[in-house]
Amino acid sequence: MIDLHVHSVYSDGTNTPAELVALAGERGLSALALTDHDTVAGIGPFLEAAAGSGVEAVPGIEISAECERGTMHILGYFIDPRCPVLLEKMEKVRAGREIRNQEILKKLNKLGYILMWSDVVRQAGRDVVGRPHFADALVARGHVKSRKAAFDLLLAKGRPAYVERYRFSAADCIALIRASGGISVLAHPATIYLPDDQLKALVKELKACGLGGIEAYYAEHHPENIARFKGWAEEFGLVCTGGTDYHGDNTPDLKLGSGFGQLRVPDEALVQLKAAPRG
Ligand code: AMP
Ligand code: ZN
Ligand code: FE
Ligand code: FE
């Protein structure tokens, strides 16, 4: 069993990279990829923890791309975490987050929710502050019952405290991942929220930009979605990858490796990912 989509405390997960490696070992996983949002800060500790552990560690990242309707995330695997261009661009993205975060805070306060920046920071990751941390802060303050309620009521796209942040185009994300020596994969394609034909056309377009794979196996994908994305992978020559999007205690029903119980990412996904052209 392998899991190629996992978050740590460096973004919005609750486990340290070392804890993730240990958990992967306990659950009998042979390989694990760390894919924190907009940061590679956890990769060093992750690789260190995995050395000699029997769990193969794949360095990764998850970058948010511009997307009109839904959410588009591009995963990068086997990126060089010391690549100066990557570090510089991710710094820029995190600076954009800081600006956006202050706007969210202002909006929430204007809407009558008493919340301070220190409340958010208390919930936050080591390198990235995101909307999930606002949600947790709202829960901690007793304004809403759950993280989900915070998103549904306030923080999700289209809700009153939503604020856009600086993002790269999908093509730029793919180019950046290639420049860092990695291979890019379109994460959870269903969240892009496009009708079938338009989504397929987009995948084709991204492949022409250098996309290397598609995340067909995903905890929240129904079997028909997995089949659909596998079909496209075959048609366009993309690697089929997969993972759980584990966030630790933040996703309590979801297990590392098996998701909600049904997920099995074939070991072959990693074999193909390694064999795919990089850079
Ligand atoms: P950010 O990158 O700070 O805008 O936060 C995005 C993250 O928030 C995503 O990666 C998800 O983990 C989480 N998220 C986004 N939309 C929702 C939602 N509707 N419900 C729960 N979590 C969400
Ligand atoms: Zn996340
Ligand atoms: Fe994602
Ligand atoms: Fe993720």
Side-chain angles (χ1 to χ4, degrees):
M1 192 156 52
I2 62 171
D3 193 333
L4 301 178
H5 190 155
V6 172
H7 297 272
S8 80
V9 288
Y10 285 90
S11 63
D12 56 353
T14 60
N15 297 102
T16 63
E19 285 166 357
L20 290 170
V21 170
L23 190 58
E26 279 167 35
R27 295 189 49 76
L29 269 67
S30 58
L32 188 70
L34 182 68
T35 55
D36 274 316
H37 300 279
D38 305 335
T39 181
V40 291
I43 291 180
F46 177 59
L47 297 179
E48 224 167 89
S53 71
V55 177
E56 181 177 353
V58 177
I61 192 165
E62 184 173 24
I63 310 175
S64 309
E66 286 169 352
C67 185
E68 212 170 297
R69 278 178 75 184
T71 300
M72 195 189 325
H73 290 171
I74 311 277
L75 294 155
Y77 293 107
F78 298 109
I79 38 140
D80 174 2
R82 287 157 310 185
C83 171
V85 186
L86 180 67
L87 291 170
E88 180 203 317
K89 300 269 185 188
M90 290 305 100
E91 190 58 51
K92 200 168 168 190
V93 166
R94 292 198 298 273
R97 273 182 179 279
E98 290 306 316
I99 295 167
R100 189 267 323 241
N101 288 344
Q102 294 309 319
E103 296 288 318
I104 293 180
L105 189 64
K106 266 191 231 158
K107 276 198 170 184
L108 287 171
N109 286 334
K110 251 195 188 153
L111 287 162
Y113 296 91
I114 295 169
L115 195 73
M116 290 191 300
W117 179 237
S118 57
D119 293 315
V120 182
V121 169
R122 196 169 301 133
Q123 308 291 339
R126 292 188 188 175
D127 211 33
V128 168
V129 183
R131 281 181 290 158
H133 307 118
F134 276 92
D136 293 346
L138 287 164
V139 175
R141 276 270 186 180
H143 292 308
V144 291
K145 284 219 171 68
S146 65
R147 204 183 240 207
K148 187 180 180 309
F151 271 94
D152 291 349
L153 187 70
L154 295 161
L155 298 167
K157 205 167 187 170
R159 304 306 298 155
Y162 180 80
V163 182
E164 244 327 314
R165 66 181 171 89
Y166 175 77
R167 292 168 202 268
F168 298 116
S169 69
D172 286 347
C173 292
I174 292 167
L176 178 62
I177 289 162
R178 289 182 84 171
S180 335
I183 171 169
S184 53
V185 170
L186 183 63
H188 41 70
T191 67
I192 296 170
Y193 218 70
L194 279 178
D196 189 75
D197 53 337
Q198 289 179 40
L199 185 57
K200 187 175 176 183
L202 175 70
V203 172
K204 191 174 177 185
E205 202 181 299
L206 295 180
K207 162 75 187 179
C209 295
L211 186 75
I214 181 166
E215 190 176 51
Y217 305 94
Y218 188 68
E220 287 177 21
H221 282 172
H222 295 289
E224 55 268 31
N225 255 343
I226 296 180
R228 177 164 70 120
F229 299 140
K230 273 171 79 173
W232 296 354
E234 207 161 294
E235 188 175 337
F236 300 138
L238 292 163
V239 176
C240 268
T241 72
T244 55
D245 216 347
Y246 185 75
H247 283 78
D249 297 339
N250 292 332
T251 44
D253 301 330
L254 188 139
K255 298 268 180 292
L256 196 70
S258 62
F260 299 110
Q262 312 300 319
L263 190 71
R264 293 291 177 275
V265 182
D267 294 1
E268 178 63 19
L270 183 55
V271 175
Q272 285 191 15
L273 202 54
K274 282 186 198 161
R278 288 188 215 161

